[in-house]
Amino acid sequence: MDAPHETALQLLARKLNLHHRLSEVHQHAILALPHKIRRLEAHSYILREGDRPDRCAVLLQGYAVRHKSTGDGSRQILAINIPGEALDFQNLFLEEADHNVQMLSRGVVADVSREAIEALIATHSEIGRAILITTLIEASIFREWVVNVGQRDSRTRIAHLLCEFAYRLNAQELNTDGFYELPITQEQLADATGLTSVHVNRVLQALQRDGLIERDRRMIRFPSWERMQDVADFNPRYLHTADLAP
Amino acid sequence: MDAPHETALQLLARKLNLHHRLSEVHQHAILALPHKIRRLEAHSYILREGDRPDRCAVLLQGYAVRHKSTGDGSRQILAINIPGEALDFQNLFLEEADHNVQMLSRGVVADVSREAIEALIATHSEIGRAILITTLIEASIFREWVVNVGQRDSRTRIAHLLCEFAYRLNAQELNTDGFYELPITQEQLADATGLTSVHVNRVLQALQRDGLIERDRRMIRFPSWERMQDVADFNPRYLHTADLAP
DNA sequence: CGTACGTTTGATCTTTCTCAATAATGGTGG
DNA sequence: CCACCATTATTGAGAAAGATCAAACGTACG
């Protein structure tokens, strides 16, 4: 396949290294992690609320979402994960999963057992620290989502989500020439922003009319990153990543 | 004062122990942590967005909130902290703070230096793990807040926040005889739920009319926890704490 | 005992939702 | 390669939840 097994965990190493510099030794330890490659269909679940996971999946190709439902059946998307991100640290160290993790597209993950990760941390405390830092950053992103959904109007809200996604793709060097794919439907975008898909559609059209975004299918481009960032009230501080604006 | 210095860190030890059982040795190591007691006025800031903290405050008495503002000046409260909780793990291991931490009431904190915490973790990896777990649980709470603010209507939303607070107080053994103090104004409750204070007021009155809550100043009581939990769509799973319903 | 802060009330306005229908797209089997 | 079907996107009209504005009322504390 496009991603040879040899490079499977390099993505993870790069991601961890992004936030907390790791020595060669530590990076090699990550690359030596025993793991199993698994191919997944679109919409398949990696983890369900209530599960007691004993392994951690690292996303290699494709996109995934975390989500959670309320008693009346409505669904909130909590995060969109991109290649290179670990999908279950959140759940691996807690008794049971408090949310679902589901593939958006078809994709590939590398499964690493809980024991392997625990051994890695026990041997390399710096890696434990890198994981803690990654976890703290994810918490920071959730905080920003609370702000986004709690305080911003629909236009700013959607623009903010688009900015965050573009920025994170860029940090993982996954976007090309300004255009990037937003791998989700308007319905899902609605679930992520606490709006309805009808309203999301109208807001996207308005952003387009105002020349803030260009759309082709699910590809999106910002004619002016600065203007978009401004409309979105987007300040990347909460991502705790060296500035890598598109 | 009411809390003699001897017991200052016992609260923290109890909190950490709540989620990840620690041995006597580890608990003693926590109790031996060098720290400085500090008395704080209501509304004083413990940490501001952009700060680069080199110490961690453990809240001993009083209540604190985490919050963040948007470009247009509106404010979102992200969490309410109760005695026994550490206020800055989030920020201690990252370069700069991404949100504010502010006292609601007057109170007392114990400051522990970053070095002391790092030494503690280096020596006792189990404590590092307890901190990771605590951090993961906080992230889970933020996720639930995203759901709360994103999907639930105002009535359910406010009820949910009241339930969470009561439940957490109870887990820290801080509530007495069913009544508990909600130490925040309706304005702040509005900032926490993404509503206006006018609407919060009306919803509280409606909850009262329906016999779901009783109010006396800022003291609140639930005549029936079960009924309240139901109305609030409250499932404590996300708190990852042994069931300690009021 | 007055003043600042918090709560409560009423009237009106706006954003976003709901419902329902139509159009476009993409994937699949023939 | 094409036709068909399911999913997704778009549009319009009407409804509702919650916001806004403005004023009056309580109450805690200096």
Side-chain angles (χ1 to χ4, degrees), chain B residues 5-246:
Chain B
H5 288 197
E6 293 85 340
T7 72
L9 289 170
Q10 288 176 359
L11 266 170
L12 176 62
R14 178 144 54 86
K15 170 81 178 177
L16 285 175
N17 195 40
L18 194 61
H19 303 307
H20 184 59
R21 192 142 296 283
L22 293 170
S23 70
E24 287 285 313
V25 177
H26 294 136
Q27 300 214 29
H28 281 307
I30 293 172
L31 297 179
L33 226 37
H35 63 279
K36 205 176 286 176
I37 298 293
R38 191 155 50 109
R39 215 159 292 280
L40 294 169
E41 286 308 305
H43 310 305
S44 59
Y45 275 80
I46 291 165
L47 196 68
R48 280 175 197 275
E49 188 174 346
D51 283 357
R52 294 164 178 273
D54 57 353
R55 57 183 164 65
C56 173
V58 177
L59 190 56
L60 300 177
Q61 289 173 36
Y63 295 90
V65 281
R66 303 172 180 286
H67 63 88
K68 206 166 173 176
S69 297
T70 62
D72 73 353
S74 68
R75 191 176 74 139
Q76 175 70 44
I77 289 179
L78 302 160
I80 306 172
N81 284 111
I82 65 180
E85 297 183 330
L87 299 175
D88 313 278
F89 284 146
Q90 347 256 342
N91 299 300
L92 200 52
F93 294 96
L94 298 175
E95 288 288 309
E96 52 181 28
D98 54 67
H99 64 279
N100 308 289
V101 184
Q102 187 179 16
M103 291 301 292
L104 277 173
S105 53
R106 67 175 49 176
V108 180
V109 298
D111 284 322
V112 185
S113 74
R114 172 187 239 145
E115 294 84 51
I117 300 227
E118 302 213 339
L120 183 71
I121 295 175
T123 329
H124 305 269
S125 70
E126 273 305 293
I127 294 181
R129 179 159 180 156
I131 289 177
L132 175 59
I133 287 177
T134 301
T135 301
L136 287 168
I137 292 175
E138 284 174 2
S140 173
I141 296 176
F142 290 128
R143 285 193 288 273
E144 185 67 29
W145 279 48
V146 174
V147 174
N148 203 37
V149 166
Q151 300 297 333
R152 299 202 248 257
D153 66 24
S154 58
R155 177 188 174 89
T156 314
R157 196 134 121 202
I158 290 173
H160 193 279
L161 188 145
L162 297 181
C163 280
E164 177 186 307
F165 196 73
Y167 191 98
R168 284 171 49 220
L169 277 184
N170 208 55
Q172 283 284 52
E173 297 161 28
L174 289 170
N175 83 340
T176 43
D177 71 344
F179 263 99
Y180 70 91
E181 188 184 3
L182 185 71
I184 65 179
T185 66
Q186 292 179 11
E187 175 97 45
Q188 290 161 341
L189 190 47
D191 285 345
T193 50
L195 301 165
T196 58
S197 62
V198 171
H199 199 62
V200 165
N201 181 275
R202 298 200 233 259
V203 170
L204 287 176
Q205 288 181 54
L207 289 172
Q208 188 165 30
R209 258 198 313 280
D210 297 346
L212 288 160
I213 63 175
E214 287 169 18
R215 291 186 295 161
D216 180 18
R217 327 282 153 124
R218 290 190 193 152
M219 302 302 286
I220 292 212
R221 202 173 75 83
F222 305 155
S224 159
W225 169 255
E226 286 70 25
R227 228 154 52 83
M228 187 64 181
Q229 187 169 7
D230 199 48
V231 167
D233 188 29
F234 180 75
N235 176 341
R237 163 141 57 198
Y238 73 98
L239 294 170
H240 296 279
T241 305
D243 200 320
L244 294 162

